[in-house]
C-alpha cells in the first residue's frame, strides 16, 4: 500500500523541463559595439584597397552577431560608405579626410564584412565591397550647372592628364613623375569647355632633366625609396586655352603598423604600397571600389559565405520589421514614445 501511494505521489510531481537559453538581444546599429566593429571594418577596407580613394563610414545598415562559444562571436555587418578626398596612398589619417559633398558627385560604397570577436578583440575575416557614383539625375536636380563625373578612359580626359603631367615634368627640377592612375575626372561644356582631373603619380629613378633623353627608361623607385603623390589639373579649352597643374608628393612612407583601434587586430599590420597602384591610365574606367578580400589566416572566410550569411541576416531583419509594423497597429497609451528601430543606424553625412 505504501509503495502504491509513493508511486501515485511520484506521478503527480511536476516535471521541470530544461528551458533553453534565450537568444541574445539584437545589437542596434548605433550601439558602441556596432560602431567599434564598423570602424574596424572600414580601416581594414581602406588598408586593403589599392585604387581610388579612402572611404568613410556613413551608416551601419545592418549587423548580426552569431555566438560561437564563451566570449567568441562572429559578426556580420553591412555598411554604407562615402568616398573621401584622400587617395588610398595618402598618409593622411581617415579622421582628417574630407567626405566629398553631394554636389561634387558623391560616390557611395556598399560593404559586407565578416568579423570575429574573441575576448573583446575584433579581427576582420573577410570583406566584399562595391561602389557607385550617385545618379546624374539626382545631382542635376540639386545643382543643374555642376559638372558630372566622366569615365576615366574618356579620350578627352586621357589627353588632358597626359598634357598636364608633361607640363609639370617640363617645369620641375625634381624627380620625373609617372602616372599611376586617374582617380576622378569631370568635363564641363557650358559656359566654358573645361576638363578637370585628379590622378596619382609616382617618382621615378630619373630626374626631370634626365627623362628628356629617354623617359621610357625611367622606372618607379624601389619600395625602400618609393615616393607617391597626387595631382590635380584643370584644362580650359574654350573660349580660351589654359592649363593649371598642381602636384604634391607624400615623401617615402616607411611601412609601419597601423595604429589599431582599442581591441582590434588586423591580418596585415600596415598598408601595402609596394603592390599598390600600377601604371595604368585606363585600368579602372569607373568609380567602383570593387574590393573582395579574405584574411589568409582566417578559417571559413569565403566571400560566398559572407553573402549567404548576410542574406540570411537580411531576411531575419525584414521579418522583424514586419512584426514591428504589426505591433505598431496596436493602440498605444497617450504619451507613449516608441523606441527607435535597432537598424539601420543614423546617417553621419548625407543620404544618396
Amino acid at each position: 500500500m505504501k509503495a502504491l501511494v509513493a508511486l501515485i505521489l511520484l506521478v503527480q510531481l511536476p516535471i521541470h523541463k530544461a528551458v533553453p537559453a534565450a537568444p541574445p538581444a539584437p545589437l542596434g546599429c548605433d550601439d558602441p559595439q556596432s560602431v567599434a566593429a564598423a570602424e574596424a571594418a572600414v580601416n581594414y577596407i581602406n588598408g586593403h584597397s589599392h585604387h581610388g580613394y579612402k572611404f568613410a563610414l556613413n551608416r551601419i545598415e545592418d549587423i548580426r552577431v552569431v555566438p560561437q562559444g564563451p566570449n567568441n562571436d562572429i559578426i556580420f555587418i553591412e555598411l554604407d560608405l562615402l568616398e573621401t578626398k584622400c587617395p588610398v596612398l595618402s598618409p593622411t589619417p581617415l579622421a582628417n579626410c574630407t567626405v566629398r559633398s553631394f554636389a561634387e558627385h558623391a560616390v557611395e560604397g556598399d560593404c559586407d564584412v565578416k568579423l570575429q570577436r574573441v575576448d573583446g578583440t575584433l579581427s576582420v575575416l573577410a570583406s566584399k565591397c562595391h561602389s557607385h557614383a550617385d545618379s546624374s539625375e539626382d545631382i542635376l536636380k540639386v545643382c543643374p550647372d555642376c559638372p558630372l563625373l566622366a569615365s576615366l578612359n574618356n579620350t578627352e580626359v586621357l589627353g588632358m592628364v597626359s598634357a598636364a603631367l608633361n607640363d609639370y615634368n617640363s617645369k620641375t627640377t625634381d624627380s620625373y613623375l609617372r602616372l599611376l592612375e586617374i582617380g576622378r575626372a569631370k568635363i564641363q561644356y557650358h559656359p566654358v569647355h573645361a576638363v578637370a582631373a585628379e590622378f596619382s603619380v609616382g617618382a621615378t629613378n630619373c630626374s626631370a632633366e634626365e627623362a628628356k633623353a629617354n623617359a621610357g627608361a625611367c622606372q618607379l623607385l624601389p619600395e625602400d625609396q618609393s615616393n607617391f603623390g597626387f595631382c590635380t589639373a584643370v584644362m580650359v579649352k574654350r573660349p580660351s586655352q589654359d592649363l593649371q597643374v598642381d602636384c604634391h608628393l607624400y615623401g617615402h612612407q616607411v611601412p609601419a603598423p597601423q595604429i589599431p583601434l582599442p581591441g582590434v587586430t588586423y591580418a596585415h599590420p600596415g598598408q601595402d604600397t609596394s603592390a599598390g597602384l600600377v601604371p595604368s591610365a585606363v585600368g579602372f574606367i569607373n568609380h567602383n571600389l570593387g574590393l573582395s578580400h579574405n584574411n589568409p589566416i582566417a578559417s571559413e572566410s569565403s566571400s560566398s559565405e559572407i553573402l549567404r550569411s548576410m542574406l540570411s541576416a537580411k531576411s531575419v531583419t525584414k521579418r522583424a520589421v514586419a512584426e514591428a509594423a504589426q505591433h505598431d497597429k496596436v493602440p498605444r497609451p497617450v504619451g507613449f514614445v516608441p523606441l527607435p528601430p535597432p537598424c539601420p543606424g543614423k546617417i553621419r553625412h548625407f543620404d544618396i
Side-chain angles (χ1 to χ4, degrees):
M1 184 66 181
K2 290 181 179 180
L4 180 60
V5 172
L7 179 61
I8 293 173
L9 291 175
L10 181 63
V11 170
Q12 291 177 341
L13 287 176
I15 299 175
H16 296 282
K17 295 182 179 180
V19 179
L27 199 60
C29 278
D30 290 327
D31 288 350
Q33 294 181 56
S34 303
V35 174
E39 290 175 346
V42 172
N43 278 12
Y44 181 89
I45 290 164
N46 285 328
H48 289 80
S49 179
H50 295 305
H51 296 276
Y53 300 84
K54 296 179 183 180
F55 278 75
L57 177 64
N58 189 39
R59 190 182 205 182
I60 301 174
E61 283 288 339
D62 198 11
I63 185 167
R64 177 172 167 239
V65 180
V66 182
Q68 301 295 298
N71 300 318
N72 184 356
D73 299 315
I74 295 294
I75 300 173
F76 298 95
I77 192 165
E78 183 180 352
L79 305 174
D80 281 350
L81 311 179
L82 286 175
E83 183 189 80
T84 72
K85 295 184 179 182
C86 292
V88 291
L89 292 180
S90 170
T92 304
L94 180 61
N96 297 336
C97 294
T98 303
V99 171
R100 292 190 189 273
S101 69
F102 180 83
E104 291 178 283
H105 207 158
V107 174
E108 180 184 33
D110 299 308
C111 294
D112 292 335
V113 185
K114 178 182 179 181
L115 307 95
Q116 185 171 29
R117 182 174 58 200
V118 179
D119 295 327
T121 298
L122 288 163
S123 58
V124 177
L125 302 183
S127 61
K128 189 173 185 64
C129 300
H130 70 276
S131 61
H132 60 277
D134 193 15
S135 70
S136 301
E137 291 78 9
D138 287 347
I139 299 295
L140 295 176
K141 284 178 184 176
V142 178
C143 184
D145 296 326
C146 288
L148 302 174
L149 288 174
S151 296
L152 302 182
N153 65 345
N154 178 286
T155 54
E156 213 174 345
V157 171
L158 293 176
M160 190 278 278
V161 169
S162 177
L165 194 51
N166 287 339
D167 181 76
Y168 182 85
N169 279 324
S170 69
K171 297 176 181 177
T172 185
T173 57
D174 297 325
S175 296
Y176 178 77
L177 302 183
R178 284 187 63 185
L179 176 67
L180 297 180
E181 75 167 4
I182 301 172
R184 268 186 162 242
K186 292 182 179 180
I187 302 177
Q188 181 173 319
Y189 296 99
H190 304 288
V192 298
H193 183 186
V195 184
E198 301 175 2
F199 50 97
S200 294
V201 294
T204 68
N205 57 357
C206 298
S207 68
E209 186 64 30
E210 292 170 339
K212 292 178 180 178
N214 185 10
C218 299
Q219 301 297 319
L220 291 173
L221 292 173
E223 182 181 0
D224 60 350
Q225 304 172 36
S226 60
N227 190 1
F228 300 112
F230 187 66
C231 300
T232 57
V234 178
M235 176 183 282
V236 177
K237 293 188 169 183
R238 289 189 303 271
S240 60
Q241 292 191 350
D242 183 41
L243 175 63
Q244 297 181 2
V245 189
D246 180 43
C247 293
H248 171 68
L249 291 177
Y250 304 132
H252 176 57
Q253 302 298 310
V254 179
Q258 280 180 312
I259 300 175
L261 297 167
V264 178
T265 59
Y266 301 92
H268 302 292
Q271 181 167 302
D272 177 14
T273 57
S274 62
L277 304 175
V278 293
S280 171
V282 297
F284 286 73
I285 62 172
N286 54 35
H287 302 82
N288 193 350
L289 181 58
L291 173 70
S292 180
H293 198 281
N294 294 328
N295 181 333
I297 64 172
S299 59
E300 301 180 303
S301 59
S302 68
S303 297
S304 59
E305 183 191 353
I306 282 188
L307 295 178
R308 286 196 301 269
S309 302
M310 289 305 298
L311 287 173
S312 173
K314 289 176 184 177
S315 64
V316 171
T317 302
K318 287 180 180 178
R319 206 160 49 240
V321 170
E323 291 173 359
Q326 290 297 323
H327 289 310
D328 286 342
K329 295 178 182 178
V330 179
R332 305 293 188 186
V334 176
F336 174 81
V337 179
L339 293 174
C343 283
K346 66 180 181 181
I347 296 174
R348 288 162 172 77
H349 300 282
F350 52 84
D351 192 20
I352 291 184

